[in-house]
């Protein structure tokens, strides 16, 4: 049975009026020898696309899906068929899931693991038939009430052990399905109040947990990249993996920075009071950019709305960072995004992904052109040129003492600064966005 009535979605170019077509995503078009598909490495998020019902904190689910009336295990099987058909129709090479997205939890951990085994076998067969790949999987250690105090940072040692058992099972699944990465998002690893929290113990335990996971991956020969996904708040009021800089310092302190890279989510960046580009940039300059959860927040809402990315200003700056990084390596652009509650039809799953894929494809086109022209590079070169010669060069070479600098300043105390002309830079960036030349079909 087919879950989506559309044929494979085709690239029709920017002037097409067909909603079921790509306007900017042309999977086989090449940029510096690599196809768009190879650069963008799109992924479908199992949870938002096939498991979620579009409920929000104020209302029940509105999603209308073909599998709604089935029993839990039959639903799980239908979703496997649906996601593989979906990836074929959209030309998306990757998918991502939490354990609980693909199979229902049983009454015991053993039963849960058996449910997972049954569905993982189906997924493996589909992957072999279609060539689709697992970008990453992860353990949901936050939804069930046992995780009320967190998982690796829970005050209850039994919960630490239970969470470890789940990660062990998910690493086995990662190995079985050849997951290219394994994600740890903090879930409930954070606190509500320091009046009753032993932050030192919790952070030490979090590091212990990561080390146990790494040791087990080594033991079974799982070589996928480990990723931490920072987020500053939600569900706890203070999440430990606040942002890239905070989580990087944590990894360095516990000697885990060689084990992990970051999975950076746009909406988490904005919740942290950063731009998406800031988080990508900070990770990139520290050689820690691993993968991306592609979505956007709403500027008028303070929470994690996980909207599909449609803001081309943001996707262009994101693609600029990704191209400057030399791509995402084993990472990809996973749509950790859900249709709005009012977009409840099954077809909206296709339409939302077309919108997100086109926004990133356009971003890639524009960012590629800016890099070709050295647009930002030239601006930066001029801005920092005082460090290329004279006293600036000596500072960079670490050839001067504080006294040398004081002596220099006494002779050169009439300072002249140059204007940044920032508004012109932004206007020129707009010109790149608006004048991008795309061959029509
Ligand atoms: C939560 C979030 C998660 C992670 C995976 O905000 O982004 O879906 O991506 O656990
Ligand atoms: Co995410």
């Amino acid at each position: 049975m087919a879950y989506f009535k559309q044929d494979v979605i085709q690239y029709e170019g920017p002037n097409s009026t067909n909603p079921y077509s790509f306007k900017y995503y042309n999977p086989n078009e090449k940029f510096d020898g690599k196809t768009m598909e190879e650069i963008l490495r799109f992924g479908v998020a199992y949870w938002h696309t096939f498991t979620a019902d579009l409920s929000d904190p104020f209302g029940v689910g509105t999603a209308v899906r073909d599998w709604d009336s089935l029993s839990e295990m039959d639903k799980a099987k239908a979703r496997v068929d649906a996601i593989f058909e979906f990836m074929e129709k959209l030309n998306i090479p990757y998918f991502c899931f939490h354990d609980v997205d693909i199979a229902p939890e049983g009454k015991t951990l053993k039963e849960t693991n058996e449910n997972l085994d049954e569905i993982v076998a189906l997924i493996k067969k589909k992957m072999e038939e279609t060539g689709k790949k697992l970008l990453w999987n992860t353990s949901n250690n936050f939804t069930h009430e046992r995780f009320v105090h967190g998982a690796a940072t829970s005050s209850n040692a039994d919960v630490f052990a239970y969470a470890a058992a789940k990660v062990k099972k998910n690493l086995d699944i990662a190995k079985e399905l050849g997951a290219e990465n394994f994600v740890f998002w903090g879930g409930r690893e954070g606190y509500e109040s320091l009046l009753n929290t032993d932050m030192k113990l919790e952070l030490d335990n979090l590091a212990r947990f990561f080390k146990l996971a790494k040791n087990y991956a080594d033991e079974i020969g799982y070589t996928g990249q480990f990723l931490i996904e920072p987020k500053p708040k939600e569900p706890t009021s203070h999440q430990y993996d606040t942002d890239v800089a905070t989580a990087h310092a944590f990894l360095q302190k516990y000697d885990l920075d060689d084990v992990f890279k970051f999975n950076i989510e746009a909406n988490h960046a904005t919740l942290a009071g950063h731009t998406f580009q800031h988080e990508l940039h900070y990770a990139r300059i520290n050689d820690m950019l691993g993968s991306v959860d592609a979505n956007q927040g709403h500027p008028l809402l303070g929470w994690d709305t996980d909207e599909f990315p449609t803001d081309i200003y943001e996707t262009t700056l994101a693609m600029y960072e990704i191209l400057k990084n030399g791509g995402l390596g084993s990472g990809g652009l996973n749509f950790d995004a859900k249709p709005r509650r009012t977009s409840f039809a099954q077809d909206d799953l296709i339409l939302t992904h077309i919108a997100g894929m086109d926004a990133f494809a356009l971003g890639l086109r524009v960012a590629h052109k800016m890099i070709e022209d050295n647009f930002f590079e030239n601006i930066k070169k001029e801005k920092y040129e005082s460090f290329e010669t004279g006293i600036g060069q000596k500072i960079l070479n670490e050839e001067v003492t504080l006294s040398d600098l004081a002596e220099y300043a006494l002779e050169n105390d009439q300072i002249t600064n140059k204007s940044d002309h920032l508004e012109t830079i932004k206007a020129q960036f707009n010109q790149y966005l608006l004048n991008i030349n795309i061959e029509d079909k």
Side-chain angles (χ1 to χ4, degrees):
M1 122 169 219
Y3 290 96
F4 300 96
K5 57 180 183 295
Q6 295 75 25
D7 291 331
V8 175
I9 306 299
Q10 302 293 329
Y11 172 65
E12 292 184 7
N15 295 320
S16 172
T17 53
N18 172 12
Y20 292 96
S21 74
F22 292 119
K23 320 298 179 295
Y24 303 101
Y25 181 59
N26 188 11
N28 296 319
E29 193 174 327
K30 287 194 170 166
F31 292 81
D32 297 332
K34 269 185 159 183
T35 64
M36 267 200 174
E37 185 177 330
E38 287 164 344
I39 297 170
L40 294 166
R41 296 168 62 85
F42 286 127
V44 179
Y46 216 104
W47 54 104
H48 285 313
T49 310
F50 290 97
T51 319
D53 61 5
L54 304 186
S55 51
D56 71 12
F58 309 97
V60 296
T62 56
V64 180
R65 304 288 183 254
D66 287 350
W67 45 86
D68 284 343
S69 62
L70 303 180
S71 71
E72 284 309 304
M73 222 30 206
D74 284 346
K75 249 186 211 166
K77 289 175 193 169
R79 286 172 175 143
V80 174
D81 287 337
I83 191 172
F84 280 90
E85 182 193 328
F86 186 78
M87 286 190 283
E88 289 280 0
K89 293 202 160 156
L90 280 159
N91 223 318
I92 295 184
Y94 289 100
F95 64 112
C96 305
F97 62 78
H98 304 79
D99 44 6
V100 303
D101 306 329
I102 61 165
E105 287 198 68
K107 286 196 195 68
T108 61
L109 183 55
K110 186 164 173 284
E111 210 178 291
T112 301
N113 288 345
E114 284 161 4
N115 289 348
L116 279 169
D117 289 340
E118 196 176 335
I119 301 299
V120 166
L122 290 182
I123 290 179
K124 189 172 184 188
K125 191 158 164 282
K126 282 280 186 188
M127 287 173 73
E128 283 162 3
E129 282 166 17
T130 60
K132 299 296 177 191
K133 289 173 279 185
L134 184 55
L135 186 63
W136 51 261
N137 63 318
T138 185
S139 188
N140 178 321
N141 287 357
F142 44 90
T143 299
H144 193 279
E145 60 264 31
R146 75 177 68 85
F147 298 118
V148 61
H149 300 302
T153 65
S154 172
S155 46
N156 183 345
D158 284 350
V159 177
F160 186 101
Y162 195 103
K166 287 193 75 193
V167 166
K168 176 177 182 287
K169 180 70 184 167
N170 283 295
L171 284 167
D172 288 336
I173 293 172
K175 168 111 200 283
E176 173 80 5
L177 298 180
E180 299 195 14
N181 308 272
F182 190 84
V183 164
F184 294 86
W185 165 58
R188 291 179 194 277
E189 315 294 25
Y191 65 85
E192 297 302 323
S193 168
L194 286 177
L195 296 175
N196 68 348
T197 301
D198 186 341
M199 191 200 271
K200 167 102 175 61
L201 176 82
E202 294 199 1
L203 286 170
D204 286 350
N205 273 355
L206 187 57
R208 287 185 183 107
F209 193 89
F210 287 148
K211 284 182 182 163
L212 291 168
K214 172 62 178 151
N215 289 345
Y216 184 69
D218 289 348
E219 191 183 316
I220 61 171
Y222 173 64
T223 54
Q225 174 68 53
F226 273 22
L227 299 171
I228 282 189
E229 185 179 322
K231 186 176 185 181
K233 54 190 169 190
E234 288 186 25
T236 71
S237 51
H238 191 295
Q239 300 274 119
Y240 288 132
D241 301 329
T242 303
D243 59 6
V244 174
T246 309
H248 191 217
F250 167 88
L251 291 174
Q252 285 174 319
K253 172 175 176 189
Y254 292 98
D255 211 11
L256 281 161
D257 49 324
D258 285 345
V259 174
F260 284 90
K261 287 194 175 186
F262 289 107
N263 183 38
I264 294 170
E265 178 163 328
N267 205 162
H268 296 181
T270 48
L271 285 176
H274 300 308
T275 61
F276 185 22
Q277 189 190 11
H278 170 96
E279 288 291 81
L280 293 167
H281 189 92
Y282 194 91
R284 170 166 81 76
I285 61 174
N286 285 290
D287 198 21
M288 293 295 281
L289 176 52
S291 199
V292 169
D293 269 6
N295 64 13
Q296 67 186 29
H298 194 290
L300 302 183
L301 294 172
W303 42 296
D304 195 15
T305 53
D306 286 342
E307 300 188 10
F308 270 85
T310 50
D311 182 336
I312 54 176
Y313 203 92
E314 291 295 311
T315 57
T316 301
L317 292 173
M319 284 316 300
Y320 179 81
E321 295 299 330
I322 290 167
L323 291 179
K324 291 292 281 182
N325 193 56
L328 287 169
S330 66
L333 294 172
N334 165 51
F335 288 111
D336 191 353
K338 59 187 170 206
R340 296 304 83 202
R341 193 163 175 270
T342 45
S343 301
F344 47 76
Q346 201 152 294
D347 280 2
D348 284 311
L349 297 178
I350 299 253
L351 293 169
T352 47
H353 280 78
I354 291 175
M357 292 164 80
D358 268 340
F360 268 93
L362 178 58
L364 162 60
R365 290 173 186 279
V366 179
H368 181 264
K369 177 84 180 97
M370 288 193 307
I371 289 173
E372 217 172 49
D373 293 355
N374 276 322
F375 172 64
F376 288 125
E377 291 310 321
N378 286 339
I379 291 168
K380 287 186 194 175
K381 193 168 169 21
E382 210 183 305
K383 178 164 174 164
Y384 296 97
E385 71 186 358
S386 69
F387 284 94
E388 280 174 16
T389 53
I391 193 72
Q393 194 178 37
K394 286 192 180 135
I395 293 170
L396 289 198
N397 292 341
E398 296 176 17
E399 281 169 0
V400 281
T401 64
L402 209 60
S403 305
D404 296 335
L405 290 170
E407 201 177 303
Y408 177 87
L410 282 169
E411 302 279 304
N412 297 275
D413 59 354
Q414 299 309 302
I415 306 279
T416 331
N417 273 317
K418 283 191 250 168
S419 167
D420 265 355
H421 307 305
L422 183 57
E423 294 75 6
T424 306
I425 296 169
K426 290 184 176 179
Q428 286 166 336
F429 177 54
N430 284 348
Q431 280 181 285
Y432 270 98
L433 266 170
L434 295 169
N435 298 340
I436 189 75
N437 192 15
I438 302 163
E439 253 177 68
D440 217 342
K441 260 233 143 178

